[in-house]
Amino acid sequence: MDEIRRLLGSTGRVRSESQSSDATQSTGSKLALRHRLNQLMTCVDDLDPRNELHGKMVKTLDNAFLICGKNANKPKKNSFRLHMVTWNVATAGPPDDLTSLLHLNSPKSPDLYVIGLQEVYSGPLRFMADTVFDDPWTQIFMSTLAPQKYVKVSSIRMQGLLLLFFSKLEHVPFIRDIQATYTRTGIFGYWGNKGGVSVRLSFYGHMLCFLNCHLAAHMNYASERVDEFEYILDTQTFDCKKAPRIVDHRLVFWFGDLNFRIQDHGMHFVRSCINNQTYNLLWSKDQLTMMKKKEQMLQEFEEGPLDFQPTYKFDLNSDTYDSRLYRTWFGFNGKKRKPAWTDRILCGGSAPKPPPPDQQDENNGVEVDAKKVRQLEEDEEYPLKIRQDFYTSNMQYSISDHKPVIGIFTLELRKMYETPLVRLQAEGDWSADIDAMVLYSPLQPFPASTWDWIGLYKVGFTSVSDYLTYTWVKDDEVAFNEEVIQVYVGKEEIPVQGGECVLCYYSSTLRCIIGISEPFKV
């Protein structure tokens, strides 16, 4: 039996090593595995079926086959590319060209874009106009990304804070349970010049949350910045049983103008390190790095190396760090601002934690909450991994005293579902001369509502609200059976100007598009 254990144990180690090796090592591991199996067959031939060892071996092999069968039946993992941007735009208007910021010429196109801006101009007249129409920054991002077949799935604005979430059209029906909220922390919590805005959603069943923050300024307020962040985490809640708080999500992205500075080091030393690109000499005195050593909550978030120039503070329309003289209240010249990595992108998540000792029973067992057990099982069946591929500042843009920061991630996950909730198609020819019909089929149960609607969109539409026309699903149903439902669209609702279009089914309960038709001609 010891010989068999040794053989099976060696086999297990070979399999483990092969998972972390390259293709050549993997081939060698498979040959070694075959060799071990041949040795095992020799042992089997020599065994007497009446021997107790024979039964133990059969049981061990049955377990091995069961494990192999489970692995063979698991759906494959998929990789998705996430492009994130944070930028304090200092009330400036958007530049004409966002190609460099969005890496539009990259051979690898992202699946998702998440853009967080701070200090978007919010003067009274502009802010009132922006409540009715999209602000200039949102407009340019939509007009730039729509031709690349990205759709603005969600957005939220709180005064100068703006968060935009874009997705490739093919993923849109699988982004569900979208919610957005905000928290003010400026002027005793009543003013929105500081605080956080967030968008949470389910991406192929995995709960993600994106939190864009603008925290308290100035060197001496590091603790206040942490307090504000904790306050935002504590106060923001969502109408979602699986993830009612930010920290309950599988992945949380915390980014924005976090305003942490480089302390202790003098101006000359900091600028010398920047000029020599010895950024690592400054890391230990970065306030966020220092606070992470003391604050357990911050330790839940990871960040790539700060191997790029500090992004604040620059003279406008230049790459020169702050050189201006400031006039103080009493007429004296104020100090120049020391460069700092104020603009950051971090990632954390809800890792399962062991229960406290007082939940252990008298037999030293552990009473684990049923919800945690389900979460552990889900984590095992539908794993989610993240890798940061790129983290740097973009020095090309100089409209602000901050430089934008870009983070690119790869999400590797197993999809919890691969079919949309609804299948849509246009029936017959569509024109402004005749009434039209939409056919849709529910593919999975979902919470239908009288407020659900089907929109007609031009190919290359920018957002959910960018429809040509729409019809209420329940009001305009004309025929249905268990499989197919017909919805009427009057000819007066169909635009005279035709083109390539798609139909989208919007669920008001899930707050998202849950089905998209194939393109068709109107």
Side-chain angles (χ1 to χ4, degrees):
M1 188 66 182
D2 290 339
E3 173 65 14
I4 293 171
R5 283 178 178 155
R6 184 183 67 78
L7 288 171
L8 292 177
S10 299
T11 301
R13 286 192 293 274
V14 168
R15 288 179 62 84
S16 176
E17 290 165 3
S18 70
Q19 290 173 354
S20 59
S21 60
D22 58 20
T24 303
Q25 290 173 320
S26 178
T27 303
S29 297
K30 289 179 180 178
L31 291 173
L33 181 59
R34 291 193 185 100
H35 177 65
R36 295 294 189 190
L37 289 172
N38 288 332
Q39 289 179 307
L40 184 61
M41 290 304 299
T42 303
C43 293
V44 171
D45 290 339
D46 294 339
L47 271 179
D48 186 341
R50 293 167 296 181
N51 193 313
E52 180 184 356
L53 184 58
H54 183 276
K56 291 182 178 179
M57 177 179 282
V58 169
K59 187 175 181 180
T60 301
L61 289 174
D62 284 344
N63 289 334
F65 284 127
L66 182 62
I67 292 171
C68 290
K70 284 183 177 179
N71 288 334
N73 293 328
K74 282 185 178 178
K76 67 176 182 178
K77 294 179 182 177
N78 300 89
S79 293
F80 301 93
R81 193 170 175 85
L82 166 64
H83 186 113
M84 295 188 66
V85 175
T86 179
W87 192 4
N88 183 321
V89 298
T91 73
D96 295 329
D97 189 358
L98 297 176
T99 301
S100 175
L101 187 68
L102 302 176
H103 290 196
L104 295 180
N105 293 328
S106 171
K108 296 181 179 179
S109 61
D111 296 277
L112 306 171
Y113 278 103
V114 178
I115 295 116
L117 304 181
Q118 307 84 41
E119 293 193 22
V120 174
Y121 180 68
S122 56
L125 293 178
R126 171 68 65 81
F127 192 70
M128 290 296 292
D130 291 346
T131 59
V132 180
F133 307 102
D134 288 315
D135 65 274
W137 281 95
T138 299
Q139 288 177 12
I140 193 169
F141 278 113
M142 289 196 302
S143 62
T144 300
L145 290 172
Q148 313 293 324
K149 295 188 177 179
Y150 291 93
V151 177
K152 179 171 75 72
V153 174
S154 182
S155 65
I156 183 170
R157 181 171 178 187
M158 181 184 72
Q159 285 182 225
L161 271 169
L162 176 64
L163 177 56
L164 304 169
F165 183 97
F166 291 86
S167 168
K168 276 186 176 177
L169 184 63
E170 65 197 73
H171 304 308
V172 169
F174 306 99
I175 300 173
R176 302 172 188 169
D177 303 314
I178 303 165
Q179 297 180 49
T181 189
Y182 62 89
T183 301
R184 302 184 182 98
T185 60
I187 309 181
F188 306 109
Y190 291 102
W191 194 243
N193 63 320
K194 295 290 193 294
V197 293
S198 63
V199 169
R200 61 87 51 207
L201 48 86
S202 165
F203 182 67
Y204 288 98
H206 296 269
M207 301 295 176
L208 311 181
C209 186
F210 300 88
L211 173 61
N212 172 25
C213 289
H214 192 188
L215 304 180
H218 305 303
M219 177 70 73
N220 298 328
Y221 287 86
S223 295
E224 284 77 4
R225 289 188 269 278
V226 175
D227 291 343
E228 288 181 354
F229 178 50
E230 289 182 338
Y231 176 74
I232 292 169
L233 291 183
D234 290 341
T235 55
Q236 290 199 1
T237 58
F238 305 98
D239 183 17
C240 175
K241 290 183 179 179
K242 291 184 69 174
R245 302 173 304 153
I246 291 176
V247 295
D248 297 324
H249 291 74
R250 294 287 297 277
L251 280 180
V252 179
F253 293 90
W254 175 36
F255 61 113
D257 180 0
L258 308 185
N259 253 323
F260 289 100
R261 310 304 171 97
I262 298 171
Q263 68 180 48
D264 297 338
H265 292 312
M267 177 76 79
H268 177 75
F269 180 77
V270 171
R271 292 200 173 188
S272 176
C273 290
I274 295 170
N275 292 335
N276 296 325
Q277 297 186 8
T278 53
Y279 308 122
N280 59 305
L281 300 180
L282 303 173
W283 293 347
S284 63
K285 295 301 180 181
D286 168 69
Q287 288 180 335
L288 180 53
T289 303
M290 297 171 71
M291 296 301 290
K292 283 184 73 173
K293 295 178 181 179
K294 298 189 296 183
E295 299 286 343
Q296 178 67 36
M297 176 267 304
L298 294 180
Q299 294 171 16
E300 301 293 328
F301 291 85
E302 300 291 335
E303 182 181 22
L306 298 169
D307 201 16
F308 53 88
Q309 282 186 241
T311 53
Y312 175 82
K313 174 179 173 107
F314 289 87
D315 292 341
L316 293 181
N317 301 311
S318 80
D319 293 334
T320 303
Y321 282 104
D322 193 18
S323 64
R324 296 177 297 170
L325 296 176
Y326 294 91
R327 182 71 64 181
T328 65
W329 287 354
F330 302 103
F332 298 105
N333 289 330
K335 289 184 178 179
K336 300 171 185 176
R337 300 290 175 88
K338 190 163 52 174
W341 287 291
T342 56
D343 310 282
R344 313 287 276 268
I345 301 174
L346 297 91
C347 179
S350 58
K353 299 175 177 60
D358 58 2
Q359 290 186 12
Q360 296 183 358
D361 64 18
E362 63 217 3
N363 298 320
N364 294 324
V366 177
E367 296 179 1
V368 183
D369 182 84
K371 183 178 179 181
K372 292 180 180 178
V373 171
R374 289 194 297 270
Q375 185 62 53
L376 286 168
E377 292 174 347
E378 184 177 285
D379 292 346
E380 183 177 353
E381 187 174 0
Y382 299 103
L384 171 61
K385 295 180 181 179
I386 185 167
R387 181 184 72 245
Q388 185 159 25
D389 302 315
F390 188 80
Y391 189 38
T392 192
S393 57
N394 188 316
M395 301 297 292
Q396 176 178 327
Y397 299 94
S398 56
I399 59 175
S400 166
D401 54 358
H402 291 251
K403 300 296 183 183
V405 170
I406 299 169
I408 298 177
F409 301 85
T410 295
L411 304 182
E412 186 181 271
L413 57 86
R414 187 170 288 132
K415 298 176 181 177
M416 295 188 187
Y417 39 75
E418 299 197 49
T419 57
L421 295 176
V422 168
R423 178 183 291 121
L424 284 165
Q425 70 178 74
E427 185 177 30
D429 295 329
W430 278 54
S431 75
D433 300 325
I434 55 174
D435 297 333
M437 288 289 178
V438 179
L439 301 182
Y440 79 90
S441 304
L443 302 181
Q444 299 177 44
F446 70 94
S449 165
T450 55
W451 296 101
D452 290 356
W453 49 273
I454 294 173
L456 177 68
Y457 295 82
K458 273 207 166 183
V459 170
F461 67 97
T462 59
S463 67
V464 174
S465 59
D466 188 26
Y467 50 78
L468 298 173
T469 188
Y470 68 91
T471 184
W472 297 106
V473 174
K474 297 299 182 183
D475 289 351
D476 297 314
E477 280 185 4
V478 292
F480 64 91
N481 55 42
E482 292 183 357
E483 295 182 356
V484 180
I485 301 169
Q486 284 185 322
V487 179
Y488 167 84
V489 180
K491 59 185 178 182
E492 65 276 2
E493 301 292 338
I494 300 175
V496 175
Q497 185 178 4
E500 285 289 310
C501 294
V502 293
L503 293 165
C504 298
Y505 187 114
Y506 184 86
S507 166
S508 61
T509 304
L510 298 178
R511 305 180 181 92
C512 61
I513 290 172
I514 59 174
I516 301 177
S517 74
E518 292 294 323
F520 63 98
K521 189 79 172 177
V522 173

